[in-house]
Amino acid sequence: MARVITITSGKGGVGKTTTAINLGAALNSFGKDVLIVDANLTTPNIGLHLGAPMVPISLNHVLSGKAKVSDAIYEHSSGTKILPSSLSIKELKNLNHSKLKEVSKKLKKLSDFIILDSAAGLGDEAVAALESADDIIIVTNPEIPAVTDALKTSKLVEQLGKTVKGIVVNRSSGSKSEMPISNILDMLELPLLGIIPEDKNVPKSVLMKDALIYTHPRSRASKAYRKLAAKLIGKENYKEA
Ligand code: ADP
Ligand code: MG
């Protein structure tokens, strides 16, 4: 049964897009059929990260009723499919965010895993991505502001009558100044799905316009993303070769 997995946060810049792309690519490397959707319509990034910045038909056209969803799906060279949003401000007009749920349902007929890269914050755009989800993953960083905002998102999810599958702590460097994982878990009271280390190869992969797990497969963050993907598909005992 296909799943829609929404990658959300509270605070911006914590690593949602990086996680959506690399979790998606890792699931794809395990043979799953994956579609990554840029549900961050106001500040879209997926196309930029994966080398498809300008596309003729995007999620914007689908949400404004101008195109069919199947016409807005592109295949990345890795085999992962993407549904990008438009970079044009003009195309933010007449968007019906609530239509995302209906679109997500249709996407479940096309792929096993639909990964929605959400906007930050608690606005309509972020809420639409939460309402479309079967599984919600909150990304945070090991620092008080990010965890505080993650808590807000988690409360919002509760108000929507949904549950959070768990959290991913990204950019963990193990430094003394960062918030210990045990404190983060005490504060959020949510399951820990994965810890992604701070990794200087992440920005390099963005420049190379491909997922880190393909540009730097042996890097520490790549290993952590594969472990996260393995956990989500029930391969709890997955070990790197
Ligand atoms: P968001 O989608 O939440 O706004 P991004 O995924 O765009 O966040 O990440 C924000 C910035 O942090 C980017 O410049 C990205 O390259 C960098 N980044 C994300 N995760 C890591 C990491 N594990 N190690 C190093 N840099 C990272
Ligand atoms: Mg982003």
Side-chain angles (χ1 to χ4, degrees), residues 8-9 11-20 40 45 49 117-118 120 139 141 170-172 196-206 212 221 225:
T8 191
S9 64
K11 192 172 180 294
V14 294
K16 291 179 296 300
T17 301
T18 304
T19 299
N40 182 354
N45 285 158
H49 279 245
D117 181 25
S118 170
V139 180
N141 294 152
N170 183 33
R171 308 197 77 160
S172 164
I196 314 294
E198 173 73 23
D199 189 329
K200 61 182 182 341
N201 294 314
V202 170
K204 289 186 194 164
S205 71
V206 179
L212 179 80
Y225 276 120

Side-chain angles (χ1 to χ4, degrees), residues 1-218:
M1 182 63 187
R3 306 287 294 171
V4 176
I5 304 176
T6 291
I7 311 295
T8 191
S9 64
K11 192 172 180 294
V14 294
K16 291 179 296 300
T17 301
T18 304
T19 299
I21 288 176
N22 286 291
L23 171 61
L27 287 167
N28 189 242
S29 76
F30 288 142
K32 301 292 176 191
D33 190 326
V34 179
L35 169 63
I36 304 172
V37 181
D38 201 340
N40 182 354
L41 287 121
T42 43
T43 49
N45 285 158
I46 294 288
L48 295 172
H49 279 245
L50 293 178
M54 300 292 196
V55 291
I57 301 176
S58 66
L59 180 59
N60 304 57
H61 296 94
V62 177
L63 293 182
S64 57
K66 287 189 201 136
K68 281 196 306 201
V69 66
S70 53
D71 292 336
I73 295 175
Y74 301 82
E75 193 164 317
H76 186 253
S77 52
S78 60
T80 304
K81 287 179 276 189
I82 56 176
L83 173 42
S85 290
S86 170
L87 287 176
S88 154
I89 293 179
K90 250 187 356 210
E91 283 168 11
L92 285 175
K93 276 195 202 144
N94 303 325
L95 286 185
N96 180 359
H97 289 299
S98 57
K99 206 173 167 205
L100 185 65
K101 192 170 174 180
E102 195 187 304
V103 169
S104 300
K105 261 196 199 138
K106 285 191 187 150
L107 295 175
K108 285 168 84 166
K109 297 201 179 91
L110 303 177
S111 275
D112 302 333
F113 288 92
I114 323 300
I115 307 212
L116 301 193
D117 181 25
S118 170
L122 312 174
D124 288 353
E125 212 180 345
V127 169
L130 293 174
E131 285 183 326
S132 306
D134 295 312
D135 295 315
I136 296 168
I137 296 178
I138 298 181
V139 180
T140 190
N141 294 152
E143 53 176 36
I144 294 265
V147 177
T148 306
D149 290 353
L151 184 59
K152 270 195 191 160
T153 299
S154 141
K155 299 278 178 218
L156 173 66
V157 171
E158 242 172 65
Q159 282 175 17
L160 294 172
K162 297 208 159 215
T163 51
V164 177
K165 188 170 181 75
I167 58 163
V168 170
V169 179
N170 183 33
R171 308 197 77 160
S172 164
S173 66
S175 100
K176 278 197 187 131
S177 57
E178 86 186 21
M179 199 171 164
I181 299 289
S182 57
N183 291 12
I184 298 174
L185 297 180
D186 282 349
M187 200 164 145
L188 296 179
E189 297 180 303
L190 291 168
L192 177 66
L193 297 176
I195 302 174
I196 314 294
E198 173 73 23
D199 189 329
K200 61 182 182 341
N201 294 314
V202 170
K204 289 186 194 164
S205 71
V206 179
L207 280 178
M208 291 166 79
K209 297 187 174 53
D210 203 348
L212 179 80
I213 78 145
Y214 294 120
T215 62
H216 299 81
R218 308 305 308 158

